[in-house]
Amino acid sequence: MRSRWIIFIAALIKMSRQGSFTRPNVVFIIADDLGWDDVSFHGSNQILTPNIDMLAYTGVPLERYYSHCICTPSRSALLTSKFAHVLGMQGYPLTNAEDRAIPLTEKLLPEYFKDLGYATHLVGKWHVGHSRSRYLPTFRGFDTHFGHRAGYIDYYEYLLLETWSKGQVSGLDLYRNVTPAWDVSGYVTELYTNEAVNIIRNHHISRPLFLMLSHNAPHAANEGAMLQAPPEQVRAQRHVESPQRRIYSAMVKMLDDSVGEIIKELQLKHILDNTIIVFVSDNGGITTGETANFASNYPLRGLKFSPFDGGIRVNGLIWSKNLTDSRYTWKGFIHVVDWLPTLLTAVGASVPKDIDGINLWESITSNNESNRNVSYEINDFDGYAAIIFNDYKLITGKVPDSYSTHEGKELKGIIGKAPPYKEALRKSATYKIFQSKGIQINISDVRKNTIRVDCNTNNYEELCHPKQDVLCLFNIKEDPCETENLSSRYPDIVETMHGLLMAEIKRSVKRKKTIFRDPKARPSLHNYTWTSWLDSVDKKTVQSK
Ligand SMILES: *[C@@H]1O[C@H](CO)[C@@H](O)[C@H](O)[C@H]1NC(C)=O
Ligand SMILES: *[C@@H]1O[C@H](CO)[C@@H](O)[C@H](O)[C@H]1NC(C)=O
Ligand SMILES: *[C@@H]1O[C@H](CO)[C@@H](O)[C@H](O)[C@H]1NC(C)=O
Ligand SMILES: *[C@@H]1O[C@H](CO)[C@@H](O)[C@H](O)[C@H]1NC(C)=O
Ligand SMILES: *[C@@H]1O[C@H](CO)[C@@H](O)[C@H](O)[C@H]1NC(C)=O
Ligand SMILES: *[C@@H]1O[C@H](CO)[C@@H](O)[C@H](O)[C@H]1NC(C)=O
């Protein structure tokens, strides 16, 4: 009997040495529509994000992290490691009565982790298909899901409102797995944080953890009440001059607090040292226009929905205890499609072949050059296409002018003095935990690690606006604010890039130019919830699950 135990324990020790029990945990945090200038490690003292900044200062902030410019496309690319246009997921995001999803032939990021023995959890937003149950997170690799399935929800009521041709329709979009979560109450950023904290607390450490925390914040909520935060939190931001941005600032503060809570719980659980943390925004902020949240991408040009850098060059960082000894900002080119192979490599797994993503783990962790030199923003729904190739970006087609200018400067106003940054850092949960663990940081010195974008503002008068058959070429390294059209100066570069872009467009799955809304999805037909309304026509497949 005893010898059997000894053999069993020896086998366990062997397995753990081989790594099957010690793969690092991964916590992937996504902010929704957070702007470039809305984290303080990018230089601003207006909105302070001390917890996120502590991860950036002691981990590796990503100076040239690119995503797609809209939620559904960027999340599709994250989950599949393929550009959105090769999935038919490019362009305008999924609306709630639209029967579309990431094709079921795709293997998603959580499925890879599940195959490796990870416990996989999604807290928060999905937005890559929900018309049928088999499109939902718990059918596509996540053990559990608590959150919203579509674009955003009201921060207190969890309703999503859409305007249809015959008027407004609204329904609940908060689910615990496949059940509407009527029983919960509270501010959604805190709800999601508590859920993530409970998952960490109750996690059995015999298995590694893959946790995706995909916040509603700081996306705008429904028309009529777009910006929402607890009143005392808004009051605490009263140095922010713009009344709307003051609320936005409180929304971001709650998001930053959430990061601190997650770090705290990982430390309490004694798994922080073995956890890789990623923090990213899904796309740029949307200062004005549809679903405006008063975010700012300043000084970058353009907003969410546009292929200018304000739409696609976003916040990103990676943290792990192993990375806290050498402090640097990684300046290499990385795209949202790269996370899948990069994270699989980070946990010692092999990388699938038929993907667009490139493994950048060694490049990032050894502060080496990037192996990526190209990315695309192909959107046949709106009718534009863009390519980044090495230092250049070429844009052609119809980009809405209103999403393509420099916005956000007018929102920078501060009443009186900016809040003391160093004090905020010192008071943050993350700083205190790092101090207790001996992860040193010299707070007097942190500003030298700020990522700053410097621009020549002389040409702002005559910006190149692409149109059908009118190309704009920019050197985004030397001119990160995309002010100078270089197409006539470098016809060879234009020709090369145009050729690459046209070849890539051939790979794309075309999208219809109109959005079909299925009247059967109407929430009033489903007890005022947004459901997987096509399950009845889809029964056979669901039953086989
Ligand atoms: C840190 O490095 C050690 C040694 O290479 C490795 O075993 C461990 O998995 C790494 N931890 C993380 C979180 O990557
Ligand atoms: C950095 O990249 C160069 C060129 O690809 C390669 O020779 C070198 O080994 C890399 N260094 C590290 C530390 O990975
Ligand atoms: C771009 O990257 C690809 C694949 O990594 C490589 O084959 C190609 O030579 C690179 N081109 C340039 C101009 O760097
Ligand atoms: C912290 O940074 C300040 C400013 O650069 C410097 O004067 C000081 O010596 C640093 N302190 C330590 C302990 O490195
Ligand atoms: C950019 O420059 C090219 C070449 O001079 C020109 O054909 C194009 O019209 C310019 N684009 C715009 C929008 O001005
Ligand atoms: C219908 O909605 C109400 C809230 O409006 C909820 O309390 C009730 O449980 C729901 N019924 C079902 C069957 O889900």
Side-chain angles (χ1 to χ4, degrees), residues 358 371 373 389-390:
I358 299 172
N371 294 322
N373 54 25
F389 185 57
N390 296 317

Side-chain angles (χ1 to χ4, degrees), residues 27-280:
V27 175
F28 201 102
I29 306 174
I30 310 173
D32 201 342
D33 293 3
L34 179 67
W36 172 265
D37 196 29
D38 302 335
V39 287
S40 35
F41 78 92
H42 283 179
S44 172
N45 274 8
Q46 188 193 39
I47 298 182
L48 300 188
T49 52
N51 290 289
I52 297 167
D53 293 8
M54 282 302 300
L55 295 181
Y57 294 144
T58 63
V60 181
L62 304 169
E63 189 169 310
R64 294 190 66 216
Y65 171 54
Y66 282 85
S67 191
H68 285 311
C69 64
I70 305 172
C71 328
T72 298
S74 64
R75 286 155 200 271
S76 300
L78 168 65
L79 290 165
T80 60
S81 191
K82 294 184 183 175
F83 293 113
H85 59 264
V86 304
L87 305 163
M89 298 300 280
Q90 70 276 24
Y92 198 79
L94 267 174
T95 63
N96 271 23
E98 199 180 349
D99 180 26
R100 189 162 59 93
I102 296 177
L104 289 168
T105 44
E106 296 301 323
K107 180 170 177 175
L108 304 190
L109 182 61
E111 295 182 85
Y112 286 96
F113 279 97
K114 203 179 167 80
D115 285 354
L116 294 168
Y118 278 71
T120 56
H121 303 276
L122 173 65
V123 178
K125 173 164 163 171
W126 179 238
H127 211 192
V128 292
H130 69 274
S131 54
R132 300 158 196 263
S133 290
R134 56 196 169 128
Y135 295 158
L136 298 175
T138 49
F139 290 76
R140 304 204 71 177
F142 284 108
D143 297 338
T144 69
H145 176 222
F146 173 70
H148 57 300
R149 297 167 171 178
Y152 53 90
I153 45 176
D154 183 278
Y155 282 72
Y156 294 97
E157 293 188 88
Y158 329 124
L159 304 177
L160 183 132
L161 179 151
E162 283 192 351
T163 303
W164 290 9
S165 56
K166 287 187 182 139
Q168 293 185 324
V169 298
S170 146
L172 182 83
D173 184 17
L174 184 69
Y175 281 84
R176 182 169 295 285
N177 301 320
V178 293
T179 312
W182 288 110
D183 55 326
V184 296
S185 65
Y187 187 67
V188 75
T189 306
E190 291 178 317
L191 275 186
Y192 286 171
T193 305
N194 293 343
E195 178 75 11
V197 161
N198 282 330
I199 286 170
I200 295 166
R201 190 173 295 160
N202 299 324
H203 175 66
H204 288 279
I205 56 165
S206 57
R207 297 168 73 192
L209 171 69
F210 177 77
L211 169 62
M212 190 172 267
L213 172 53
S214 172
H215 274 291
N216 192 51
H219 198 295
N222 297 307
E223 219 182 302
M226 308 238 313
L227 299 168
Q228 300 180 332
E232 71 280 5
Q233 293 286 349
V234 180
R235 187 176 147 74
Q237 303 294 320
R238 59 191 185 279
H239 63 278
V240 178
E241 186 184 31
S242 152
Q244 292 91 349
R245 189 158 165 88
R246 195 176 307 146
I247 307 174
Y248 174 78
S249 181
M251 292 157 76
V252 175
K253 163 74 163 62
M254 303 290 278
L255 176 71
D256 183 70
D257 285 348
S258 170
V259 172
E261 291 299 314
I262 300 301
I263 303 297
K264 202 156 65 182
E265 197 59 33
L266 289 168
Q267 173 64 11
L268 280 174
K269 186 79 179 182
H270 305 296
I271 59 173
L272 181 59
D273 289 1
N274 193 33
T275 300
I276 295 166
I277 300 169
V278 175
F279 177 89
V280 294

Side-chain angles (χ1 to χ4, degrees), residues 32-39 46-47 218-220 227 242 244-249 251-252 281 283-289 291-298 300 302-304 310 315 406-412:
D32 201 342
D33 293 3
L34 179 67
W36 172 265
D37 196 29
D38 302 335
V39 287
Q46 188 193 39
I47 298 182
H219 198 295
L227 299 168
S242 152
Q244 292 91 349
R245 189 158 165 88
R246 195 176 307 146
I247 307 174
Y248 174 78
S249 181
M251 292 157 76
V252 175
S281 185
N283 45 250
I286 178 123
T287 318
T288 62
T291 68
N293 64 353
F294 292 80
S296 166
N297 306 314
Y298 189 81
L300 298 178
L303 310 178
K304 175 184 181 180
N315 306 299
H406 299 88
E407 304 288 339
K409 194 173 187 178
E410 65 289 355
L411 294 176
K412 286 178 84 73

Side-chain angles (χ1 to χ4, degrees), residues 379-392:
N379 179 346
D380 54 342
F381 184 85
D382 291 307
Y384 63 77
I387 173 176
I388 295 176
F389 185 57
N390 296 317
D391 294 353
Y392 292 92

Side-chain angles (χ1 to χ4, degrees), residues 362-363 366 368-369 371:
E362 292 84 3
S363 307
S366 63
N368 217 340
E369 306 254 296
N371 294 322

